[in-house]
Amino acid sequence: MRLLALVSLNIVSLNVVSLGLGPAAASAPPWTWPVDPVQVVVPYVAPAHAYGAGHRGIDVAADGDVHAPADGVVAFSGRVVDRDVLTIDVGDGVVVTFEPVTSALPAGTPVRAGDLVAGVGSGGHSAPGTLHIGVRESGAYVNPLRYLDGVPRAILLPCC
């Protein structure tokens, strides 16, 4: 019986690691999703090394308002190359970035979880009608699903 429990535990651990959630997922406080409804259209893909190819965040379907996922302070709000970006410092070395967005909030503005902070904009690498969400811990990109309140429910579509 104990052997079966150990095997089950290892399978669960393997699945969590393969999603890029890592060990911090269990200890991180949950954030609220910045958009509703939630549909992840491009998942996080960890790069093989610091300069390798990957997708350092998730893209979610969005065409309206963007809300703060947690309490924090706007660290940056402005244009980066071909898109507008909003970054919120939530403390403990963690920042969340949204792009492309339109926001009137200047750097230094305190925000509370759920506050309207931006609208979905256009430009950058994200497809039209999507919002890119990136999270950095002490400067390193991590899977945003570590912090967001659970993986969104799967939507089953009719076949054939």
Side-chain angles (χ1 to χ4, degrees):
M1 186 71 140
R2 286 190 341 192
L3 180 58
L4 180 61
L6 180 58
V7 170
S8 295
L9 179 59
N10 285 337
I11 290 171
V12 170
S13 297
L14 178 61
N15 288 339
V16 169
V17 171
S18 69
L19 288 173
L21 299 178
S27 62
W31 293 352
T32 58
W33 282 91
V35 296
D36 185 36
V38 176
Q39 180 185 4
V40 177
V41 294
V42 181
Y44 177 84
V45 178
H49 54 81
Y51 301 103
H55 188 242
R56 293 164 173 83
I58 60 174
D59 293 353
V60 295
D63 61 4
D65 296 337
V66 178
H67 299 269
D71 296 350
V73 175
V74 174
F76 177 82
S77 180
R79 193 124 182 112
V80 176
V81 184
D82 61 350
R83 66 207 171 264
D84 290 323
V85 175
L86 179 73
T87 300
I88 300 172
D89 184 334
V90 297
D92 294 328
V94 178
V95 296
V96 59
T97 299
F98 302 108
E99 60 179 86
V101 295
T102 57
S103 180
L105 298 178
T109 303
V111 296
R112 306 277 301 164
D115 285 356
L116 177 62
V117 294
V120 177
S122 61
H125 77 278
S126 298
T130 64
L131 173 70
H132 179 82
I133 304 169
V135 175
R136 294 187 317 268
E137 290 177 354
S138 301
Y141 283 95
V142 297
N143 190 336
L145 295 178
R146 281 184 167 184
Y147 291 91
L148 292 164
D149 191 17
V151 177
R153 184 180 168 143
I155 299 172
L156 300 177
L157 301 174
C159 175
C160 314

